[in-house]
Amino acid sequence: MPTGHATGGTGPARSRERFLQGEPVEAGVRTSILSSWQRSRSLGLSPDQADLPFRDDFDRDARIVRAAVPVLDRLQARFAGSKMNISVADASGTVLLRRFGEASLARSLPAFQRVPGFVFAERVAGTNGIGLALAERQLIRVHGAEHFAERSQRSACRALPVRDPLSGRIEGVLCFGYPSSTEDPELAITIRKAAQAIERRLLRQSSARERALLRAYLDTGATTSAGLHHTVGVDELALELHPRDRAVLTEKAAELISRGQRAAAVVCLFDGRRVTLVSRPMRSGSGVEGVAIEAVLPGPAPREPLAVPTQVDVSPGSSGRLAVVTAVPPPRFVPAAAAPGRLPVATLSRNLPDVAHGPFGTVGRVDVADDHPAPPSRTRGLVMVGEPRVGTYALAARRRLELLSEASARIGTTLDVRRTAQELAETAVPRLADFVTIDLPEAVLRGEESADPRTDLHRTVVHGISDDLPFSPVGKQVDFGPTTPQIRCLTSGQAVLEPDLKAAAGWLAQDPEHTERLLTEVHSLIAVPLVARGVILGIASFYRAQDPAPFGDDDRSLGLELASRAALSIDNARRYTRERTMVLTLQRSLLPHDLPDQDAVEIAHRYLPAESDVGGDWYDVIPLSGTRIGLFVGDVVGHGMLSAATMGQLRTAARSFAELDFPPDEVLTHLDNLVGRLDREEPAAGAGVIGATCLYAVYDPTSQQCTMARAGHPPPALVRPDGTVSFPDLPAGPPLGLGGLPFESAEIHLPEGSRLLLYTDGLIEDRQRDVDVVLDQLRGALAHPEQTPEQTCQTVLETVAPAHPCDDIALLVARTHAMDPRRIAAWDLPADPARVSEVRAAALRQLADWGLDEAAFAAELMLSELVTNAIRHGAGPIRVRLLHGRTLICEVSDASNTAPHLRRAASTDEGGRGLFLVAQLAQSWGTRYLPEGKVIWAECGLDAA
């Protein structure tokens, strides 16, 4: 196939040749040109097609023609002597006007192209300036081999749509054609200025037509009965008329104008008065057809009755469309209570008054004739005149603004990606579209950026006026072809409008099975990319079904604006999801993964993050000496990364203080100092003082006593074996970080089988619920003594936790066990070294009874050293205790607070090696302080004994 003279077989010509031969074209061709080639091929067009359709039924006196003729004459004079040809086509691609810089250029064209009427739409002519400008709805440049047809390979052109300034609708296309060898970048500026000049002339045409309608109204009023001379404008309805009342009257007047027939509407003002607006169709002397809206004020019936044949229901319709007008009998006007102040009477001048041209038509400015009260008769006066089509556009524009205003409030109410996409669809249906589908990459749903959104799209939202259309279901991966509007909008970054889906070849070829059924319902499509901050987030597709009118450029602009606003909210939600995932990952990594094996309690736990943000709730279970167990639950003030990091520091410190065997109140004191220091060392926090609450409980299975202390934390729930539920009254204590105040602990006896529930305030505190009511619910959920700790956790979350928690929830349920007294042996002895041998002998007998003969040597040696140290360095009385649990624990307590220290004895020292031997024989050892005295303990593993 020839490559074309214009490019010599390189660049676009080579790409076009490969495209026409069916080879892939990946680079070297602009997106708009490649998309147009693909559409031309899907339409079955041939590049060597010579003929173009010709129409002779076009409007030779169209508005675009009248506005463009003077502009084209000036352009012809400017380009005189050049090889420039200038064309103006209508919105269907039919050329209406043509000018040439050289007269000889016309002779080089086929005869039928020298006169107006031939069609250059893309669907019949392939890729060209006029057709592509209408398809892309923007300034287009097509150069040489970028044309689809062979006949245009030597040419270049620039084309720009011309719009009606009032309606925004495309009225036509201005096109500059020239040899491809004479490209001039200044042509882009020239064509824009020329199009603006045509648009200004279109605006002046509309203004002249409206002035003609106003003059026709005044001339008609001069011949009517004298009663109609009492006229009043919107601004003179009352001295105290509120601006919002004027806005309501103006909007209702625009609705009546857009209907284009005789009708009436009763408008209730905010102060209780009612005004009747009556529409009167009329025609100016020049043939302009329009509607005049008159306001009829309350008062006694006039001498001649006013005929009001129809009543308008002024409730909003969908997608900016007006509500249906139904014929009813003439309404009986019921006078409302008179408002304070006088009602001025105005008379329109016989000459043409000053007029104001606005988006709703032309409003007459009237002058007050006198300051006397209104006569006892109905008065009526001009409110607005305009053409129905302009009124329709104005009404649609107002409702589009209302929709955008509503979208600002409805879209982005949460920081959830899926919910935000659903809000976009709910806002658009049915006021813009009848069906909306939204497709987002899986990565975006996870809070990340998609590497290739075109291959990772998943159907996220399907919303519409019915549920029986065969759109791909939510959750399914969708694969769009390269010629579909969805992929084209992603590639170009612009909204793609397909007014007629039956002619959208790329869309039809995507899924023939489903599209065939869809075409029985939907007929028009707008595909809009969801892009925010340079990140491609997905695609929104708007479909129209019920309204027979296809989507237009205004609808496309509205869809793009809605999508742009929604994309920012979706991106905010995506970023929040990413940060929340990071914080939640950090939070979960700092919580205990595996709880330690121990026999003191049976444990179950839960952590439930808040819906909106992740806080610093935590829990921990710490084995202590003497088979005791430490239970922590805490809550760091605030949310986010700082709270999670602070929680990690606090939990690590709490575990360290607990493993030092400090009592609960001292552990809280140390944590209080730590939080205060963190607050002083974190100036970057900026959000205020770092604070936390905490509850620490230590349970001893040998005595079944539980010692608890809390720092500003809710008290635990205690479930006794008989099912009785109580909330122990513990000393409250200040939150951690305040400093200066002591903490107190309390000791409670827990019978075997009791359940202790520790929780954070997210479980019971909720703005929508009373705390006392929640505590009653918690009491009822716990009053089941047969439940296991796991069942208790599940029941509490299902029945007590809020459905949408605004704060984290941490739960820790512990069911207590008691140590068998037969596994405990204790001896009291005075501080007499002679009694050491008796204790060793008694311990060996007890170990033999327990079947621990293999551990006897190590236990005998450890007891001998510990008892000897207590006698020499401590104070009586002395108590020795053996605990047979998972390990063998040897404890020696005395009344002294002096603790031994492990050191390496020198070769010349006579003593100091006893504690070193204990440390070598024991699995672990340490010191635990009592209210009076201390306990030295050593633990020996039985498996290695």
Side-chain angles (χ1 to χ4, degrees), residues 449-519:
E449 294 184 16
S450 177
D452 187 1
R454 293 174 295 183
T455 60
D456 188 31
L457 290 171
H458 288 72
R459 182 58 46 88
T460 306
V461 173
V462 177
H463 183 69
I465 57 178
S466 65
D467 301 326
D468 57 349
L469 289 188
F471 290 106
S472 298
V474 172
K476 181 180 179 181
Q477 184 172 357
V478 289
D479 297 318
F480 294 109
T483 61
T484 56
Q486 285 82 358
I487 293 301
R488 286 161 48 202
C489 81
L490 274 187
T491 305
S492 65
Q494 299 294 325
V496 174
L497 169 62
E498 289 289 355
D500 185 6
L501 285 178
K502 293 182 179 179
W507 186 79
L508 292 172
Q510 173 66 23
D511 189 353
E513 179 183 356
H514 288 169
T515 54
E516 182 177 356
R517 181 182 171 192
L518 279 174
L519 282 178

Side-chain angles (χ1 to χ4, degrees), residues 184-349:
D184 184 359
E186 294 296 327
L187 289 178
I189 300 175
T190 303
I191 195 171
R192 289 186 185 277
K193 291 183 177 179
Q196 292 172 0
I198 297 175
E199 290 174 350
R200 287 195 298 269
R201 292 183 59 82
L202 286 172
L203 179 61
R204 287 200 294 270
Q205 286 185 28
S206 299
S207 301
R209 295 165 69 91
E210 290 173 352
R211 287 196 295 269
L213 288 174
L214 182 58
R215 184 182 297 278
Y217 172 82
L218 296 175
D219 292 341
T220 303
T223 61
T224 56
S225 61
L228 294 184
H229 285 289
H230 298 289
T231 56
V232 60
V234 174
D235 291 334
E236 289 76 31
L237 287 176
L239 293 176
E240 298 84 9
L241 190 62
H242 195 277
R244 60 187 177 185
D245 288 330
R246 293 196 294 269
V248 169
L249 287 172
T250 304
E251 181 178 1
K252 301 313 176 188
E255 291 186 14
L256 294 177
I257 289 177
S258 66
R259 182 52 56 185
Q261 61 184 11
R262 292 187 63 87
V266 177
V267 180
C268 294
L269 304 181
F270 285 87
D271 59 6
R273 291 176 296 165
R274 299 198 298 176
V275 176
T276 300
L277 296 180
V278 180
S279 63
R280 182 148 60 94
M282 53 188 299
R283 179 189 295 269
S284 70
S286 59
V288 179
E289 295 184 354
V291 177
I293 306 299
E294 299 172 324
V296 181
L297 303 183
R303 299 176 182 176
E304 298 180 4
L306 173 66
V308 184
T310 56
Q311 175 75 29
V312 176
D313 179 6
V314 293
S315 61
S318 63
S319 185
R321 300 183 289 275
L322 292 175
V324 178
V325 178
T326 56
V328 297
R332 179 176 180 270
F333 199 93
V334 181
R342 295 179 300 173
L343 187 65
V345 178
T347 303
L348 284 173
S349 171

Side-chain angles (χ1 to χ4, degrees), residues 622-848:
I622 304 171
L624 303 176
S625 63
T627 69
R628 297 171 306 136
I629 195 75
L631 305 175
F632 272 108
V633 67
D635 182 5
V636 176
V637 175
H639 298 84
M641 191 73 72
L642 178 61
S643 295
T646 304
M647 180 274 291
Q649 293 176 288
L650 194 60
R651 175 177 170 255
T652 301
R655 173 175 282 272
S656 301
F657 295 143
E659 289 178 343
L660 290 173
D661 267 327
F662 291 139
D665 54 335
E666 290 188 24
V667 169
L668 294 184
T669 299
H670 289 298
L671 291 178
D672 180 57
N673 295 333
L674 172 65
V675 173
R677 185 167 63 253
L678 290 176
D679 184 52
R680 293 190 296 272
E681 294 175 355
E682 290 288 345
V689 177
I690 297 175
T693 65
C694 182
L695 188 149
Y696 179 38
V698 177
Y699 173 68
D700 187 349
T702 63
S703 63
Q704 302 177 39
Q705 293 295 115
C706 183
T707 306
M708 292 182 281
R710 64 188 180 114
H713 202 84
L718 173 60
V719 187
R720 299 190 178 273
D722 60 358
T724 304
V725 181
S726 63
F727 298 93
D729 186 15
L730 304 179
L736 301 177
L738 296 183
L741 297 176
F743 297 94
E744 300 180 57
S745 59
E747 193 170 275
I748 301 174
H749 180 74
L750 300 181
E752 184 176 11
S754 299
R755 283 176 295 159
L756 193 63
L757 174 69
L758 282 64
Y759 55 90
T760 55
D761 56 5
L763 177 67
I764 61 174
E765 293 184 3
D766 187 10
R767 297 177 181 177
Q768 309 299 326
R769 304 184 298 173
D770 184 81
V771 174
D772 294 333
V773 175
V774 177
L775 291 178
D776 289 339
Q777 293 176 350
L778 180 59
R779 185 178 286 106
L782 295 175
H784 301 283
E786 73 284 355
Q787 287 185 341
T788 64
E790 284 290 339
Q791 292 172 337
T792 301
C793 279
Q794 193 63 30
T795 301
V796 169
L797 289 182
E798 291 176 352
T799 60
V800 181
H804 304 283
C806 58
D807 194 5
D808 292 13
I809 298 175
L811 283 182
L812 191 64
V813 179
R815 183 162 62 183
T816 63
H817 297 300
M819 193 170 187
D820 190 345
R822 293 172 297 181
R823 289 177 171 264
I824 304 174
W827 301 273
D828 294 319
L829 65 155
D832 184 0
R835 304 294 297 272
V836 175
S837 60
E838 298 178 9
V839 173
R840 288 202 305 264
L844 289 176
R845 290 192 298 270
Q846 184 63 61
L847 292 177

Side-chain angles (χ1 to χ4, degrees), residues 54-133:
F54 181 81
R55 294 178 50 194
D56 56 4
D57 58 346
F58 64 91
D59 186 1
R60 300 177 185 274
D61 192 35
R63 296 178 66 227
I64 185 69
V65 173
R66 296 197 305 272
V69 165
V71 178
L72 261 63
D73 290 342
R74 291 196 297 270
L75 289 173
Q76 185 179 24
R78 173 175 178 176
F79 291 108
S82 69
K83 296 185 179 299
M84 177 72 69
N85 68 87
I86 308 158
S87 303
V88 170
D90 62 14
S92 66
T94 303
V95 175
L96 307 179
L97 296 171
R98 198 157 199 183
R99 298 288 190 272
F100 298 94
E102 290 183 358
S104 60
L105 290 177
R107 293 192 292 272
S108 65
L109 296 175
F112 73 96
Q113 291 191 26
R114 302 173 191 172
V115 295
F118 64 91
V119 180
F120 256 143
E122 186 187 64
R123 67 180 184 277
V124 295
T127 306
N128 69 89
I130 293 175
L132 192 53

Side-chain angles (χ1 to χ4, degrees), residues 561-640:
E561 180 66 23
L562 284 176
S564 298
R565 298 189 181 196
L568 285 174
S569 298
I570 292 175
D571 190 51
N572 290 338
R574 179 192 66 84
R575 290 166 177 254
Y576 166 77
T577 300
R578 180 184 61 189
E579 292 188 8
R580 185 177 187 273
T581 301
M582 294 171 56
V583 175
L584 187 57
T585 301
L586 174 63
Q587 172 86 353
R588 292 191 184 279
S589 68
L590 295 175
L591 291 174
H593 299 285
D594 298 315
L595 297 183
D597 295 330
Q598 41 79 38
D599 297 325
V601 292
E602 180 184 352
I603 293 291
H605 56 89
R606 293 288 189 278
Y607 171 72
L608 183 65
E611 279 193 351
S612 59
D613 208 344
V614 179
D617 291 18
W618 59 282
Y619 60 87
D620 208 348
V621 178
I622 304 171
L624 303 176
S625 63
T627 69
R628 297 171 306 136
I629 195 75
L631 305 175
F632 272 108
V633 67
D635 182 5
V636 176
V637 175
H639 298 84

